[in-house]
Amino acid sequence: MTVLETAKKMIDYSHGNLHDINHFMKVYAYAKMIADGEQLDPDTQKLVEMTALVHDIACPLCRVKYGNTNGKNQEKESAALIAEFFKDSNLPQDFTDHHHTLDQIDGIDYQIIIEADYLVNADESHFSGHNIKNMYDKIFKTETGKFLLRSMYQNCLENETL
């Protein structure tokens, strides 16, 4: 399955929920940009882009089942959904691993997804300068992700020291 096929399938999967579609497409754009900046090999680049598109695949189910889209609930539900979503693809099985936990970042692909998702969530949820600085100091690791965070949220960070 290509990145384009995955994007089209996720858009269809979202049943017209513009918030969800806009969110994962923005995360995809930032993830692609960060991955490009970090000069990933082509296989890891594709993994990052595909993961960005499906990173919140469990949101619709979690809204119905739990009444929220809490990351822990998404962790419980997403692996089966991703496996089903990609069942006819030639992606490796480890691609279906999925989580939102910040203390279990175990590779550059996951690091980039965390950073890209945060860039979008900081805007959508209007995170404080303190929150943004904390993420910059403790979670962001890629040079490209740090650059984007500093540049995009410089007005929020005026009273914070980076």
Side-chain angles (χ1 to χ4, degrees):
M1 184 178 290
T2 68
V3 174
L4 176 59
E5 290 168 334
T6 301
K8 289 167 67 175
K9 189 173 178 178
M10 269 304 291
I11 290 168
D12 186 53
Y13 179 88
S14 298
H15 301 290
N17 182 319
L18 292 177
H19 174 269
D20 286 358
I21 295 166
N22 287 328
H23 177 82
F24 71 72
M25 291 303 295
K26 287 187 281 186
V27 171
Y28 163 77
Y30 287 125
K32 181 174 177 21
M33 185 183 303
I34 295 168
D36 285 346
E38 300 304 306
Q39 301 177 348
L40 300 185
D41 65 86
D43 289 340
T44 307
Q45 177 84 24
K46 181 179 179 181
L47 177 64
V48 166
E49 292 179 29
M50 302 276 272
T51 303
L53 290 166
V54 300
H55 80 281
D56 279 344
I57 195 169
C59 283
L61 173 64
C62 288
R63 282 187 199 104
V64 171
K65 189 170 182 178
Y66 304 104
N68 64 61
T69 58
N70 176 283
K72 292 293 181 189
N73 292 335
Q74 288 187 59
E75 287 176 24
K76 284 191 267 187
E77 304 294 344
S78 64
L81 295 171
I82 290 174
E84 177 65 23
F85 188 87
F86 289 114
K87 72 179 178 190
D88 296 324
S89 77
N90 58 352
L91 294 172
Q93 186 60 34
D94 63 346
F95 181 79
T96 62
D97 290 344
H98 179 77
H99 40 275
H100 282 78
T101 308
L102 296 179
D103 63 355
Q104 296 177 6
I105 299 172
D106 59 1
I108 189 68
D109 55 327
Y110 186 36
Q111 180 68 43
I112 290 170
I113 297 303
I114 291 294
E115 292 179 10
D117 194 31
Y118 184 83
L119 290 169
V120 176
N121 286 333
D123 175 53
E124 291 177 352
S125 298
H126 308 287
F127 290 162
S128 69
H130 178 74
N131 182 297
I132 293 167
K133 183 185 181 317
N134 187 50
M135 286 295 287
Y136 182 90
D137 290 342
K138 295 181 179 176
I139 303 298
F140 274 59
K141 303 285 186 248
T142 70
E143 289 305 314
T144 308
K146 286 182 169 187
F147 167 81
L148 290 170
L149 189 65
R150 277 192 317 269
S151 298
M152 292 169 60
Y153 296 102
Q154 58 188 309
N155 293 336
C156 295
L157 294 169
E158 286 177 355
N159 297 324
E160 305 294 330
T161 305
L162 287 180

